[in-house]
Amino acid sequence: MQTVLVTGANGEIGHSLLHALAAREGCRVITLDLAPLGDELRSLVHDARVGDVSDPAVVAELEKNDFTEIYHLAALLSTSSEKNPERAHHVNVNGTMGLLLMARRIGVRTGTAVKFLFPSTIAVFGMGSLDEKNRAGAVTEFSHLQPTTMYGINKVYCEQLGSYMSDRFGQLTNEAGVKALDFRALRFPGLISATTVPTGGTSDYAPEMIHAAAQGKDYACFVRPDARIPFMAMPDGVKALLDLAAAPAEKLTQRVYNIRAFSPSAEEIATVVAKAFPGVSITYAPHPVRQAIIDSWCADVDDAAARRDWGWTPDYDMQRAFDEYLIPTIARVYGG
Ligand code: AKB
């Protein structure tokens, strides 16, 4: 029996991940979120805790469990973090540090390395100008790491913190020489779910546009038509997390991996959405702060390392994501 912790379980990734974990044999899932889980999600898990991941008392209670895997999804996303940078730092950095230390202590106690799955982001990249962004194209894990947002800074730091604690601090702790902590991170592009709408992110224009159109509502997009970042359908995001968690440690040549599926401009997304849901109007009203964030993120990432080391490949390109996942599922969600 594996005991798995999912923090931020009420968020978009959490919703889909909990369904996938519920289908796994021999898996006891404990969740943590600031808000109680809805009835449907509650029925999928063993124990649903309500609390703040950055609260040491909450972490002390969690620590009584012998977790084998932790999916640390709780975070303030990019737009929310710009509105409240101090809170973002507290949750995104201190919350992660507290959980990493907890995971390490559990690994020491149980003699089994705790796998710590960390969703990082394309927000760790920082392009100095649009020209630099266009010239850079698909960036590797190791270049352009000059984030311009609090969220990006928090995430790139936590990638390094988790790697440090696994590679140095983590392995020194068990008498038997067993590694206590096995940190693995994925740099997610914008994720698009057919069943939930995100809040507080800057890649939100794509899912907002699709969900608005599916309800017959017009949409004013908060970035320019030429804005381009990579995106991915949510089932691929969850698949990537589970595949990276399952990958044999000896196959992994790095702790942090880029992943991607497709990289359309806002206008290319709008064209597909307008065709799928005719009659809605999509206009552009760029928001200066959010546009600057998108301009600072890369146009695409190079995910060759993930493909090579653990066989990453997305199931959904843009066409398939819309035709076989987003349009049919969203139409059902909104009843027609
Ligand atoms: C955000 O927009 O903040 C997130 C992300 C790309 O990490 N969706």
Side-chain angles (χ1 to χ4, degrees), residues 12 76-80 119-123 151 155 188-191 198 200-204 229-230 293-294 297:
E12 281 214 290
L76 263 74
L77 297 183
S78 51
T79 294
S80 299
S120 190
T121 164
I122 50 166
Y151 174 65
K155 287 285 186 178
F188 279 114
L191 289 169
T202 315
S203 60
D204 294 5
I229 57 167
I293 293 175
I294 293 294
W297 293 353

Side-chain angles (χ1 to χ4, degrees), residues 57-289:
V58 169
V59 174
E61 271 306 308
L62 286 172
E63 193 170 333
K64 294 177 181 162
N65 297 281
D66 290 343
F67 292 116
T68 47
E69 271 178 26
I70 295 175
Y71 294 84
H72 176 35
L73 311 179
L76 263 74
L77 297 183
S78 51
T79 294
S80 299
S81 296
E82 288 312 284
K83 288 184 185 154
N84 196 342
E86 199 178 331
R87 168 111 191 107
H89 186 275
H90 183 65
V91 173
N92 296 350
V93 174
N94 299 353
T96 301
M97 181 60 171
L99 272 197
L100 284 167
L101 287 168
M102 180 196 83
R104 176 180 150 266
R105 288 191 295 265
I106 294 173
V108 173
R109 183 174 80 216
T110 60
T112 308
V114 177
K115 282 185 191 164
F116 195 103
L117 276 295
F118 183 70
S120 190
T121 164
I122 50 166
V124 299
F125 297 110
M127 302 293 161
S129 65
L130 264 184
D131 187 45
E132 184 184 333
K133 171 170 176 156
N134 294 334
R135 270 187 292 112
V139 297
T140 69
E141 281 85 352
F142 310 106
S143 67
H144 300 279
L145 293 175
Q146 279 99 27
T148 59
T149 60
M150 179 52 107
Y151 174 65
I153 291 166
N154 296 164
K155 287 285 186 178
V156 79
Y157 172 65
C158 287
E159 288 178 355
Q160 291 167 9
L161 188 63
S163 303
Y164 163 79
M165 288 184 58
S166 279
D167 292 338
R168 309 241 169 80
F169 199 42
Q171 71 189 1
L172 298 177
T173 51
N174 186 294
E175 279 170 15
V178 175
K179 254 170 133 39
L181 180 65
D182 182 356
F183 177 87
R184 303 173 180 199
L186 280 176
R187 289 201 187 132
F188 279 114
L191 289 169
I192 312 178
S193 168
T195 51
T196 52
V197 189
T199 47
T202 315
S203 60
D204 294 5
Y205 59 91
E208 281 178 6
M209 187 188 294
I210 301 165
H211 282 262
Q215 297 171 79
K217 294 182 187 162
D218 295 341
Y219 183 70
C221 180
F222 61 76
V223 293
R224 295 185 313 267
D226 67 299
R228 188 184 298 277
I229 57 167
F231 281 99
M232 179 178 289
M234 186 59 82
D236 273 333
V238 170
K239 180 178 97 145
L241 267 178
L242 296 175
D243 284 358
L244 180 58
E250 62 278 10
K251 295 262 183 213
L252 304 183
T253 59
Q254 51 199 59
R255 293 207 169 273
V256 179
Y257 289 93
N258 287 346
I259 49 167
R260 70 172 304 280
F262 42 90
S263 186
S265 67
E267 190 171 32
E268 284 161 359
I269 301 171
T271 304
V272 178
V273 172
K275 203 167 144 213
F277 303 102
V280 297
S281 143
I282 297 168
T283 51
Y284 297 89
H287 182 283
V289 175

